[in-house]
């Protein structure tokens, strides 16, 4: 039985003069503990799909089930991480991490201890009382991850969380996040346009195409690559093979769309 | 190496000294402008270069001020006007913020009210004075309403647009935890809009003075605005200018107070 199921999701965006079919009949099922990537050109609706899984957008048609129950009853199961950290600049680091429990109305005292522990785990113990403006991009994104993890979600939705970082920080953070998610046995869904990142981090890659957004093809990441850390995975020969296959597929999508 | 460090420090000291000297110079210039204005005023009045009946003179104003401090008149009139202004300021500002919240809370409400807000904003509020006085009676309450109504609409429009401009992704973060609309407002929208809200404070201090003084022109039997009208009617321009100087002085203090409050709040958040 699948942990997360998307059943025939179709979504339209309407505005005054026209409408766009952002997603067309998308069905995905995700096993517990696995890491899925949604890869595709910009405008293929991958962020829309993620927002639907997060319950922030309601799809025009179709349903999202977690453990066979509809999404609305599972709000707390989900952690959502955005492209930028969106830490609140007027709150210090620990209060930023504690925003989730505060919204849910959880016991502050226990949660404060948990938040401190999480920050220590992430190597952020020296900046607990600092403000976001004093932190580097990589540190801020780690704080954002701590903020996402503190409510103990079983499903993590990552919307290009590394795209705003410099390359070195990005590689380090990929390793860090990958190890952390494996340790906590989280089910994760990553949206990205970076082929390498998708292969290095995930178990399965859904390649999407645009206009309307559809699943084009599913790639299984070879088991040898999966078990390596993202940084090591990038050096593996099978990583390179898969990269080339996806690269060609993406190119063919592009030529099709220019001809069409 | 040591020499180098010393010269670095010397350079820095010289820089600090230069900034201080520059600041001092500005202060001297301000003081000079102040003194020369009053001295020139006094002299031109003494020598009848200007009509002392109309323009009075600093010495007469000061002696009137002294007299009024001693007999308690200054305090009596000042207290009334200051309290009215502060009340008008708070009602206008807080009322404006509450209206802005209601508009933010319901897009429909904003769409419905939009044309009315535009008209109300364009309308010169002091023109409503006679109606307010007839409706609420000639008294403190009308004058306070004048001080409030003049700032409430513009406050609500400015604060509403600040609420709208808050980055949607902050709200997305909160929604992903299942936040309610009120929680989104409290945790993200309001704190992110605080700088705009504080800048409306500064504008509203000035606006409340306008409303209250006009209100006093129309109905009051005490207060600084009343003194100006009274002085005008009995052709006592020493009294008019004396009231004006007192108003300028208190308004400046209130403005500084808001400045200090802003600095405190920004440190706090």
């Amino acid at each position: 039985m699948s942990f997360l199921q998307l059943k025939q999701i179709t979504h339209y965006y309407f505005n005054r003069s026209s409408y766009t079919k952002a997603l067309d009949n998308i069905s995905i099922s995700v096993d517990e503990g696995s890491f899925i990537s949604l890869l595709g050109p910009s405008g293929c609706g991958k962020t829309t799909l993620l927002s639907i899984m997060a319950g922030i957008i309601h799809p025009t048609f179709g349903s999202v089930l977690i453990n066979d129950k509809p999404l609305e009853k599972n709000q707390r199961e989900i952690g959502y991480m955005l492209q930028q950290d969106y830490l609140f600049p007027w709150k210090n680091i620990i209060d930023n991490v504690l925003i989730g429990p505060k919204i849910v109305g959880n016991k502050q005292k226990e949660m404060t201890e948990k938040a401190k522990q999480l920050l220590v785990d992430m190597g952020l113990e020296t900046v607990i009382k600092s403000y976001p403006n004093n932190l580097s991009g990589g540190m801020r994104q780690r704080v954002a991850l701590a903020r996402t993890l503190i409510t103990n979600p079983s499903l993590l939705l990552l919307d290009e969380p590394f795209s705003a970082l410099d390359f070195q920080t990005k590689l380090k953070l990929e390793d860090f996040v990958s190890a952390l998610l494996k340790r906590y046995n989280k089910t994760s869904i990553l949206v990205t346009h970076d082929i390498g990142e998708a292969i290095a981090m995930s178990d399965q890659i859904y390649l999407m195409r645009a206009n309307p957004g559809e699943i084009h093809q599913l790639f299984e990441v070879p088991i040898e690559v999966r078990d390596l850390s993202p940084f090591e995975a990038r050096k593996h020969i099978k990583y390179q093979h898969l990269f080339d296959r996806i690269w060609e597929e993406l190119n063919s999508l592009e030529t099709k769309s220019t001809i069409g | 190496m040591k020499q180098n460090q010393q010269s670095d420090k010397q350079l820095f000291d010289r820089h600090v000294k230069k900034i201080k000297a520059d600041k001092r110079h500005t202060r001297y210039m301000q003081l000079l402008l102040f003194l020369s204005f009053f001295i020139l005023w006094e002299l031109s009045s003494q020598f009848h270069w200007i009509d002392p009946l109309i323009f009075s003179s600093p010495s007469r104003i000061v002696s009137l001020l002294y007299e009024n401090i001693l007999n308690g008149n200054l305090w009596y009139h000042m207290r009334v006007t200051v309290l009215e202004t502060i009340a008008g300021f708070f009602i206008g500002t807080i009322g404006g913020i509450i209206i802005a919240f209601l508009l933010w809370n319901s897009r429909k409400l904003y769409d419905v009210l939009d044309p009315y807000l535009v008209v109300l904003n364009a309308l010169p509020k002091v023109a409503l004075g006679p109606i307010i006085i007839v409706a609420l009676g000639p008294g403190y309450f009308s004058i306070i309403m004048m001080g409030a109504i003049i700032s409430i609409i513009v406050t609500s429009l400015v604060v509403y647009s600040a609420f709208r401009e808050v980055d949607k992704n902050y709200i997305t973060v909160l929604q992903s935890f299942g936040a309610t609309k009120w929680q989104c407002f409290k945790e993200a929208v309001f704190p992110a809009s605080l700088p705009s809200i504080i800048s409306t404070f500064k504008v509203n201090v000035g606006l409340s003075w306008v409303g209250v003084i006009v209100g006093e022109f129309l109905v009051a039997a005490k207060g600084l605005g009343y003194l100006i009208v009274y002085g005008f009617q009995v052709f006592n321009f020493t009294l008019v200018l004396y009231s004006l100087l007192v108003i300028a002085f208190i308004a400046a203090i209130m403005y500084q107070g808001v400045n200090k409050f802003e600095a405190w709040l920004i440190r706090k958040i």
Side-chain angles (χ1 to χ4, degrees):
Chain A
M1 188 197 77
S2 297
F3 171 68
L4 169 72
Q5 282 178 295
L6 301 187
K7 286 191 171 166
Q8 295 165 332
I9 301 280
T10 299
H11 190 68
Y12 292 88
Y13 282 116
F14 299 103
N15 59 35
R16 215 172 287 236
S17 55
S18 66
Y19 64 91
T20 329
K21 197 172 194 180
L23 295 172
D24 187 20
N25 199 15
I26 289 191
S27 299
I28 295 179
S29 56
V30 181
D31 291 332
E32 186 151 21
S34 64
F35 196 118
I36 304 294
S37 284
L38 300 172
L39 183 69
S42 56
C44 70
K46 39 191 200 297
T47 295
T48 305
L49 190 57
L50 206 68
S51 304
I52 287 173
M53 293 182 206
I56 292 167
I57 298 180
H58 294 284
T60 317
F61 300 112
S63 57
V64 182
L65 301 177
I66 295 180
N67 283 330
D68 283 333
K69 274 179 264 162
L71 184 64
E72 291 75 33
K73 291 178 183 143
N74 284 296
Q75 189 73 53
R76 287 177 200 182
E77 297 291 314
I78 293 166
Y80 191 45
M81 219 173 137
L82 296 147
Q83 265 173 39
Q84 279 160 37
D85 49 75
Y86 289 104
L87 298 177
F88 298 103
W90 53 86
K91 287 180 187 290
N92 66 18
I93 295 306
I94 185 105
D95 286 341
N96 260 295
V97 174
L98 284 169
I99 187 77
K102 193 174 174 190
I103 294 294
V104 180
N106 253 343
K107 287 215 178 73
Q108 287 288 307
K109 215 169 191 178
E110 290 165 31
M111 281 317 214
T112 310
E113 284 312 306
K114 195 177 167 191
K116 276 182 187 158
Q117 191 52 48
L118 260 173
L119 287 169
V120 171
D121 285 353
M122 300 204 175
L124 292 166
E125 62 273 18
T126 52
V127 294
I128 283 174
K129 293 281 172 202
S130 304
Y131 283 83
N133 288 340
N134 301 328
L135 269 62
S136 68
M139 287 166 103
R140 292 174 61 124
Q141 202 57 288
R142 272 185 280 162
V143 176
L145 183 64
R147 175 176 68 185
T148 312
L149 289 176
I150 193 161
T151 48
N152 204 16
S154 41
L155 175 63
L156 253 113
L157 304 173
L158 310 166
D159 187 0
E160 303 191 30
F162 312 114
S163 62
L165 303 171
D166 62 86
F167 193 63
Q168 197 190 358
T169 313
K170 171 188 150 105
L171 289 183
K172 279 188 192 162
L173 206 59
E174 277 177 16
D175 271 14
F176 178 79
V177 170
S178 174
L180 199 73
L181 295 182
K182 248 175 213 154
R183 178 146 60 96
Y184 292 141
N185 192 31
K186 301 286 184 198
T187 312
S188 315
I189 293 170
L190 171 74
V191 158
T192 183
H193 55 246
D194 179 338
I195 305 172
E197 184 173 284
I199 302 171
M201 295 200 70
S202 37
D203 306 326
Q204 285 175 321
I205 299 167
Y206 286 91
L207 182 62
M208 292 178 71
R209 64 160 171 253
N211 302 321
E214 284 175 308
I215 302 292
H216 179 67
Q217 199 173 337
L218 170 63
F219 293 92
E220 294 278 344
V221 177
I223 196 86
E224 300 92 324
V225 181
R226 275 187 212 180
D227 289 344
L228 295 172
S229 75
F231 188 79
E232 293 300 324
R234 283 171 195 271
K235 299 177 193 162
H236 200 278
I237 183 72
K238 288 200 170 170
Y239 165 91
Q240 202 55 50
H241 288 323
L242 188 55
F243 191 100
D244 293 339
R245 272 175 61 207
I246 297 178
W247 175 256
E248 266 167 37
E249 210 48 58
L250 265 173
N251 277 336
S252 78
L253 277 181
E254 216 166 73
T255 40
K256 259 182 223 161
S257 71
T258 36
I259 293 164
Chain B
M1 188 67 195
K2 197 173 179 193
Q3 183 146 25
N4 200 3
Q5 270 178 352
Q6 187 136 33
S7 77
D8 281 356
K9 191 162 162 37
Q10 278 168 349
L11 273 175
F12 177 67
D13 285 344
R14 212 157 59 203
H15 174 72
V16 170
K17 223 181 241 172
K18 205 174 139 207
I19 289 177
K20 274 189 184 155
D22 191 49
K23 226 176 190 171
R24 211 160 40 224
H25 183 248
T26 310
R27 289 265 177 259
Y28 285 145
M29 296 295 278
Q30 286 167 339
L31 193 65
L32 186 70
L33 195 63
F34 182 83
L35 289 177
S36 42
F37 174 75
F38 282 98
I39 289 169
L40 193 69
W41 183 5
E42 181 68 39
L43 290 178
S44 34
S45 182
Q46 294 284 345
F47 293 109
H48 284 77
W49 299 336
I50 53 175
D51 189 344
L53 196 60
I54 296 173
F55 294 104
S56 188
S57 73
S59 57
R60 283 190 232 182
I61 292 170
V62 168
S63 73
L64 181 65
L65 178 70
Y66 182 67
E67 200 181 295
N68 276 336
I69 290 175
L70 286 190
N71 66 19
N73 259 336
L74 173 71
W75 172 237
Y76 174 73
H77 289 288
M78 196 176 85
R79 188 184 52 190
V80 171
T81 306
V82 167
L83 286 180
E84 285 164 352
T85 307
I86 291 176
F89 168 79
F90 276 107
I91 295 173
T93 309
I94 295 172
I97 294 172
I98 292 173
I99 293 173
F101 168 73
L102 295 175
L103 295 175
W104 174 84
N105 189 45
S106 160
R107 181 71 210 215
K108 191 78 193 167
L109 185 67
Y110 175 78
D111 287 342
V112 171
L113 292 183
D114 182 42
Y116 300 101
L117 288 170
V118 170
V119 171
L120 279 177
N121 190 40
L123 188 78
K125 259 67 70 183
V126 290
L128 295 173
I131 297 167
I132 292 175
I133 287 157
V134 173
L136 302 175
Y140 296 124
F141 196 56
S142 291
I143 296 170
I144 291 171
M145 284 323 282
M146 289 284 289
I149 204 165
I150 202 168
S151 60
I152 194 164
I153 301 295
V154 68
T155 303
S156 60
L157 288 177
V158 169
V159 174
Y160 171 73
S161 78
F163 286 168
R164 298 275 316 195
E165 275 162 27
V166 173
D167 195 326
K168 291 275 177 296
N169 285 309
Y170 284 124
I171 296 172
T172 306
V173 167
L174 295 175
Q175 280 175 338
S176 77
F177 293 116
T180 61
K181 200 154 192 187
W182 168 247
Q183 282 175 321
C184 290
F185 178 78
K186 193 172 63 127
E187 298 294 340
V189 174
F190 185 75
S193 312
L194 260 184
S196 312
I197 292 174
I198 294 165
S199 71
T200 66
F201 286 6
K202 286 186 188 170
V203 178
N204 289 356
V205 169
L207 286 178
S208 298
W209 275 100
V210 175
V212 165
I213 296 297
V214 170
E216 288 187 348
F217 280 3
L218 292 174
V219 283
K222 50 190 162 184
L224 296 167
Y226 160 75
L227 287 183
I228 291 176
V229 170
Y230 176 74
F232 169 62
Q233 281 163 350
V234 301
F235 222 75
N236 179 356
F237 275 83
T238 305
L239 183 62
V240 173
L241 288 164
Y242 147 81
S243 312
L244 211 59
L245 285 180
V246 172
I247 290 172
F249 183 69
I250 309 167
I253 289 178
M254 279 175 124
Y255 188 82
Q256 280 300 319
V258 173
N259 259 347
K260 286 271 185 314
F261 176 68
E262 178 181 16
W264 174 80
L265 208 63
I266 282 173
R267 245 183 298 119
K268 193 100 200 275
I269 57 175

